[in-house]
């Protein structure tokens, strides 16, 4: 390792579809892996980290910074990387930074297309049936991550299309392919019927490693655990009254009990 290194950094993302792992030292990429098996990410991550550390001849405790994508996206994937980072923080000296998934995709667009300052961007990712995460960004060139213009919103695809029409630009994310009937281009090089001036990038559905590294470079690191960014309500919470009834429990009591547990202050960091 470089004697003047800023330290080993681990970058993790499992927000949507792909488990991504990268290791850098002094901002130089040492290793990157992408596993297109999101349904097996829980069983893949720990052995993959073990093998990466063995190949680089480092220990997990040697990481000084850990950057994790905290959402929005898959509840399971987000929890996986955040709990892994929390465990590593307790066993080593690493500080943690939370990365935004939508910003990582927007920054990937900038890097792929060589967009300059001021170029408008949109990211649409699948939230669940008939809902997308929607957020506008502006490009800041190749050295600075794309910056959000508004907070991420949960919208119907048709409403997201109206937003694109009002401010056309490059558009990426899984929300395009998952709602292909609405976002199919009128012709090659054109946007969809409702937003013909939009530049669609339906194949860009997961961040590039270079974009994740750029966000990590600009991240804010602290010696504390990261809060997830879910945006949409958890299906299990929304369905709790129904699930409680099937178990012979009172729905109102179940909802109240969950609220009390979620509001309870932890007695320990562990």
């Amino acid at each position: 390792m470089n004697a003047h290194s800023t330290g080993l950094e681990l970058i993790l993302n499992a927000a949507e579809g792909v488990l991504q792992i990268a290791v850098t030292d002094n901002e130089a990429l040492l290793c990157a892996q992408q596993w297109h098996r999101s349904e097996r990410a829980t069983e893949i991550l720990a052995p993959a980290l073990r093998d990466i550390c063995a190949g680089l001849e480092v220990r997990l405790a040697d990481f000084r910074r850990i950057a994790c994508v905290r959402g929005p996206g898959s509840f399971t994937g987000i929890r996986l990387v955040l709990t892994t980072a929390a465990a590593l923080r307790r066993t080593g000296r690493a500080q943690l930074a939370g990365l935004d998934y939508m910003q990582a995709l927007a920054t990937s667009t900038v890097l792929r297309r060589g967009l300059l300052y001021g170029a408008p961007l949109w990211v649409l990712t699948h939230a669940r049936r008939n809902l997308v995460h929607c957020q506008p960004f502006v490009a800041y060139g190749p050295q600075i991550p794309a910056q959000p213009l508004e907070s991420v919103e949960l919208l119907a695809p048709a409403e997201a299309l109206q937003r694109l029409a009002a401010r056309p630009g490059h558009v990426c994310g899984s929300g395009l392919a998952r709602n292909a009937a609405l976002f199919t281009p009128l012709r090659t090089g054109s946007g969809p019927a409702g937003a013909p001036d939009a530049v669609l990038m339906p194949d860009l559905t997961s961040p590039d490693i270079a974009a994740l590294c750029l966000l990590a470079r600009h991240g804010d690191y602290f010696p504390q655990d990261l809060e997830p960014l879910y945006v949409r309500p958890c299906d299990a919470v929304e369905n709790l009254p129904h699930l409680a009834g099937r178990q012979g429990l009172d729905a109102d009591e179940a909802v109240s009990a969950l609220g009390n547990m979620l509001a309870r202050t932890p007695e320990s960091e562990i």
Side-chain angles (χ1 to χ4, degrees):
M1 300 300 168
N2 189 324
H4 302 288
S5 170
T6 56
L8 279 172
E9 177 166 26
L10 176 65
I11 304 169
L12 299 173
N13 171 45
E16 190 184 37
V18 182
L19 170 62
Q20 296 174 295
I21 309 169
V23 177
T24 67
D25 180 41
N26 200 28
E27 301 182 359
L29 183 64
L30 301 182
C31 174
Q33 293 186 2
Q34 300 190 91
W35 297 81
H36 293 260
R37 297 295 302 272
S38 59
E39 78 283 0
R40 296 186 57 197
T42 301
E43 58 186 283
I44 289 172
L45 180 55
L49 290 176
R50 177 197 61 205
D51 293 344
I52 288 171
C53 287
L56 296 176
E57 298 183 345
V58 300
R59 303 170 304 159
L60 288 171
D62 292 334
F63 288 109
R64 292 173 58 184
R65 304 195 305 184
I66 303 175
C68 297
V69 173
R70 67 185 192 97
S74 160
F75 286 20
T76 301
I78 294 169
R79 288 193 297 266
L80 171 64
V81 298
L82 295 192
T83 54
T84 299
L88 294 177
R89 183 180 73 83
R90 286 162 172 76
T91 58
R93 52 178 178 163
Q95 297 197 353
L96 311 185
L99 308 183
D100 184 278
Y101 186 65
M102 308 290 277
Q103 187 179 28
L105 284 167
T107 302
S108 298
T109 301
V110 173
L111 297 180
R112 285 194 185 188
R113 294 297 176 92
L115 300 180
L116 301 179
Y117 175 82
L121 311 161
W122 287 91
V123 178
L124 303 181
T125 63
H126 174 73
R128 63 184 178 195
R129 186 175 181 180
N130 295 323
L131 283 176
V132 295
H133 301 112
C134 176
Q135 191 171 19
F137 290 83
V138 63
Y140 268 66
Q143 299 299 322
I144 300 175
Q147 296 299 304
L149 297 177
E150 300 173 12
S151 298
V152 60
E153 292 185 274
L154 199 60
L155 300 176
E159 187 175 356
L161 182 61
Q162 293 177 358
R163 301 288 182 90
L164 303 187
R167 185 179 174 273
H170 285 75
V171 190
C172 71
S174 59
L176 297 177
R178 294 295 290 265
N179 299 278
L182 193 62
F183 291 104
T184 298
L186 288 171
R187 57 188 178 277
T188 302
S190 169
D197 294 327
V199 181
L200 303 185
M201 300 176 64
D203 294 335
L204 179 48
T205 57
S206 61
D208 293 337
I209 293 295
L212 292 173
C213 291
L214 183 60
L215 262 66
R217 183 187 310 164
H218 290 267
D220 295 321
Y221 292 82
F222 300 97
Q224 60 191 42
D225 293 343
L226 300 170
E227 290 294 324
L229 176 63
Y230 289 137
V231 180
R232 72 173 179 85
C234 174
D235 292 337
V237 172
E238 286 194 333
N239 294 330
L240 181 58
H242 174 68
L243 296 174
R246 291 179 60 182
Q247 297 295 320
L249 304 174
D250 181 88
D252 292 336
E253 289 183 359
V255 171
S256 177
L258 177 63
N260 290 336
M261 286 188 286
L262 293 177
R264 186 182 304 160
T265 302
E267 296 180 359
S268 169
E269 282 195 355
I270 304 301

